Amino acid sequence: MSSCFLDEETFCQCCQLFLQHSHSLCDGWSWEQVKGSEEGYLRKTALGTGRTRCNQDQQGTSSDQHQERTFSLSFHNDDDDEDDGAVCCIQEENSSSSVVQYEYHILYSCSYQTPVLYFRASTLEGRSLCLEEVWDSVHPNYRQRLQHRPWDTITQQEHPLLGQSFFVLHPCRTEEFMKPVLKAALEEHRQVNYIVTWLSVVGPVVGLDVPLSYCTQVPEPPHTPSSSPQPPSSSPQPPSSSPQPPSSSPQPPSSSPQPPSSSPQPPSSSPQPPSSSPQPPALGTKPG
Amino acid sequence: MSDNAESPTETQKDEPSTPQQPTEDSGTADDKKKIDVLLKAVGDTPIMKTKKWSVEKGRTVQSLSQFISRFLKMEANEQLFIYVNQSFSPSPDQEVGVLFECFGSDGKLVLHYCKSQAWG
């Protein structure tokens, strides 16, 4: 199974389709082209919430380790831990929930052949959050997994195109959560927009929710000049109201041979929206 | 509505007097405040013995995710992902009732779930 990865051209196409819907929703995404290059990335700024240190000097940075900070420490027995048999959970007791300014970038990684989410986070006063604060700001749904191995999850790296320090959500295991989706789509002759699916998984970890309408309104990447964009929708609507677009988009060429007809998987139940109504826009799969 | 992730209830032995928990579908889904959810495993994720649950509309995806994670006795290094329409992972704060309105069919909402280490 090699259909879990994304080539750069398809990345760009998926991004453009993603952008069309973003514009219709005024969702705030933009495409930033790197000057003098064909490379680009998706960008969005948004206000969210996070846990930041309170009563701290505004000049505090990640090097500001000398300030008094109180942490609560708890250890859990973790039989599966390869390192030391204990998981350390750190929660800063002097932190409080506050408004955080986020700036998200979606870049393409040639080495991983996946998108990668970079982001910056700062208080409204302009102070960048430190790494521990970012960890502490992760959505509770993902907190336990993050605290198990925070250094494997979110760290600071140099932005590949801008050269500035950004936080990054590690992409090494992107395949693990993309594979089931792509595999199912392939077997059922459906297609997905890789960026929509991928962002819906990784975005909420760091405060970036993807509206439901992206799921039904963003088509697959075309390999013809353009696909007809879907009617704009500002709120999630039952797929029955979506018109059936031309669904005969050919499978994009890839190095992996496509089975002429996938092993039929008679659906035991309808994974699709109401079967009596037209299916949502055919979304493009990306075979590897 | 409360979205406490209570410990899972056994099939056929469910106490119907605890409305906060997902309860196994007893055959009818006439309660306006609940929707039927069908949980399907993908990949190597263990299959839940009870797949069909009656869930309060106001319950969040996160709450459901916690419930499934505990039911499956997942490890700390594993993350559960839920997919709707087999292509999209709804926000953890999303209410299942809204998902049902958008993606429900034949009176139920089919959700696929998958566990993975996700990052690294």
Side-chain angles (χ1 to χ4, degrees), chain A residues 8 11-16 18-19 23 28-45 103-109 114-120 159-164 166 195 198-199:
Chain A
E8 190 160 7
F11 166 79
C12 291
Q13 290 169 345
C14 289
C15 287
Q16 294 308 319
F18 179 93
L19 266 175
H23 291 328
W29 287 95
S30 62
W31 178 259
E32 305 293 323
Q33 195 86 17
V34 177
K35 192 174 176 183
S37 157
E38 291 184 3
E39 291 176 290
Y41 56 93
L42 284 171
R43 176 182 180 272
K44 173 180 176 175
T45 59
E103 179 180 348
Y104 303 101
H105 292 194
I106 299 176
L107 273 69
Y108 178 75
S109 165
T114 62
V116 183
L117 183 64
Y118 289 81
F119 63 101
R120 285 196 277 217
H159 190 290
L161 300 177
L162 303 179
Q164 298 163 15
F166 270 69
I195 292 295
W198 168 83
L199 190 62

Side-chain angles (χ1 to χ4, degrees), chain A residues 18 27 34 36 39-40 45 64 99 101 103 106 118 123-124 127 133 146 219 232 251 278 285 287:
Chain A
F18 179 93
D27 196 27
V34 177
E39 291 176 290
T45 59
D64 186 16
V99 178
Q101 169 88 32
E103 179 180 348
I106 299 176
Y118 289 81
T123 66
L124 292 182
R127 175 181 72 77
E133 287 174 308
L146 171 96
Q251 290 289 338
T285 194

Side-chain angles (χ1 to χ4, degrees), chain A residues 45-50 97-102 104 122 124 206-208:
Chain A
T45 59
L47 291 178
T49 56
S97 186
S98 59
V99 178
V100 173
Q101 169 88 32
Y102 288 97
Y104 303 101
S122 59
L124 292 182
V206 290
L208 179 60

Side-chain angles (χ1 to χ4, degrees), chain A residues 80 139 141-142 145 148 152 169-170 172-173 176-177 180-181 184 188 190 192 196-197 200-201 204-205 209-212 215-216 236 239 268-274, chain B residues 38 40 42 62 65 75-79 81 83-94 98-99 101-106 108 110 112 114 116-120:
Chain A
D80 203 38
H139 191 288
N141 189 52
Y142 312 94
R145 165 60 186 87
H148 182 77
D152 282 352
L169 189 60
H170 285 210
C172 315
R173 296 181 187 268
E176 285 191 19
F177 58 81
V181 172
E188 298 178 7
R190 288 182 296 110
V192 299
V196 171
T197 299
S200 74
V201 174
V205 179
D209 283 354
V210 181
L212 283 178
C215 174
T216 53
S268 53
S269 70
S270 51
Q272 298 294 334
Chain B
L38 183 63
K40 306 185 93 175
V42 294
Q62 174 180 353
S65 182
E75 313 261 350
N77 65 337
E78 294 173 318
Q79 181 71 48
F81 295 102
Y83 299 94
V84 67
N85 207 25
Q86 273 192 279
S87 64
F88 187 89
S89 186
S91 158
D93 301 325
Q94 186 65 266
V98 175
L99 295 181
E101 288 171 15
C102 296
F103 302 103
S105 68
D106 298 331
K108 63 183 181 299
V110 177
H112 288 78
C114 160
S116 94
Q117 296 199 13
W119 297 288

Side-chain angles (χ1 to χ4, degrees), chain B residues 6-7 20 24-25 30 34 46 59 67 73 82 88:
Chain B
E6 306 290 336
S7 53
Q20 270 70 29
E24 188 193 0
D25 179 48
D30 54 2
K34 291 192 177 183
R59 194 143 177 168
F67 170 74
K73 297 183 174 57
I82 290 180
F88 187 89

Side-chain angles (χ1 to χ4, degrees), chain A residues 253-267:
Chain A
S254 73
S255 53
S256 324
Q258 293 298 318
S261 60
S262 304
S263 51
Q265 297 276 345

